[in-house]
Amino acid sequence: GHTEAVSAIAWNSTTEQLLTGSWDCTAKVWSNGKCVRTLKGHEKAVWAVMSVGDQVFTASSDHTIKVWDGEICVSTLTGHTDCVRSLTLIPGMGFLSASNDCTAKLWSLKGDTLLSCHGHNGYVYATALLPSGQFLTCGEDKSVRVWQGSDCVSNIPHPGVVWDVCALPNGD
């Protein structure tokens, strides 16, 4: 297993495998309780893992997102300037990332930055997709924000830091 704390977990429904990320700078792919792949290449902790088909995406404190085919890193995305905390698949479009650089970014699956969302004035911890196609971000600035493209259409204040956000199928 990992040699330090596990900081990320995701399920790959295509391969029926579990993905984990860790402070030990690696991600692992698990099948039936056994590690079948170790993804080494990040210089700092892995904070998010995501799968798209057979490919694995990892996000790290080293400010990068890596794309893996098997145990080979096929691409390193460098659009953030601080720790990358979250990855969310946007079917038919790409994926979202959230970062300590106070931004969320929409990427194509090929690694092109499609848009950057500026508005938070603290770390952005997580992202989620709404059924409407809008998406959510949350973070250190005690807010949840609703985005339509790169426009913040709603800012929902909270009394404390918001660590995570999700959307239900009905849009709540």
Side-chain angles (χ1 to χ4, degrees):
H2 289 286
T3 59
E4 294 191 36
V6 173
S7 48
I9 189 166
W11 178 250
N12 183 331
S13 59
T14 301
T15 63
E16 295 191 350
Q17 294 175 320
L18 188 69
L19 311 172
T20 57
S22 171
W23 292 358
D24 67 10
C25 307
T26 70
K28 293 185 181 283
V29 180
W30 304 84
S31 184
N32 298 316
K34 295 185 189 225
C35 180
V36 295
R37 281 194 310 244
T38 298
L39 311 179
K40 297 179 182 177
H42 283 292
E43 296 174 9
K44 294 185 179 178
V46 175
W47 282 103
V49 290
M50 177 185 78
S51 63
V52 179
D54 291 336
Q55 287 192 315
V56 174
F57 291 67
T58 56
S60 170
S61 292
D62 66 10
H63 310 179
T64 69
I65 299 165
K66 292 186 181 289
V67 183
W68 305 85
D69 192 355
E71 290 185 336
I72 306 297
C73 177
V74 295
S75 183
T76 300
L77 312 182
T78 59
H80 284 291
T81 59
D82 206 333
C83 174
V84 185
R85 296 266 189 172
S86 172
L87 299 172
T88 301
L89 182 64
I90 308 296
M93 187 173 291
F95 67 96
L96 290 167
S97 61
S99 173
N100 285 6
D101 66 8
C102 307
T103 70
K105 293 185 182 291
L106 177 64
W107 305 80
S108 73
L109 292 177
K110 294 183 180 197
D112 300 314
T113 303
L114 302 176
L115 60 88
S116 293
C117 299
H118 301 270
H120 283 280
N121 52 19
Y123 298 164
V124 182
Y125 288 134
T127 57
L129 178 64
L130 289 166
S132 66
Q134 295 175 315
F135 58 91
L136 305 170
T137 58
C138 67
E140 186 79 16
D141 63 2
K142 304 177 184 177
S143 73
V144 172
R145 296 179 189 239
V146 181
W147 300 85
Q148 181 71 48
S150 60
D151 296 322
C152 179
V153 296
S154 183
N155 180 8
I156 305 163
H158 287 269
V161 172
V162 184
W163 288 97
D164 206 355
V165 65
C166 68
L168 300 175
N170 69 357
D172 285 351

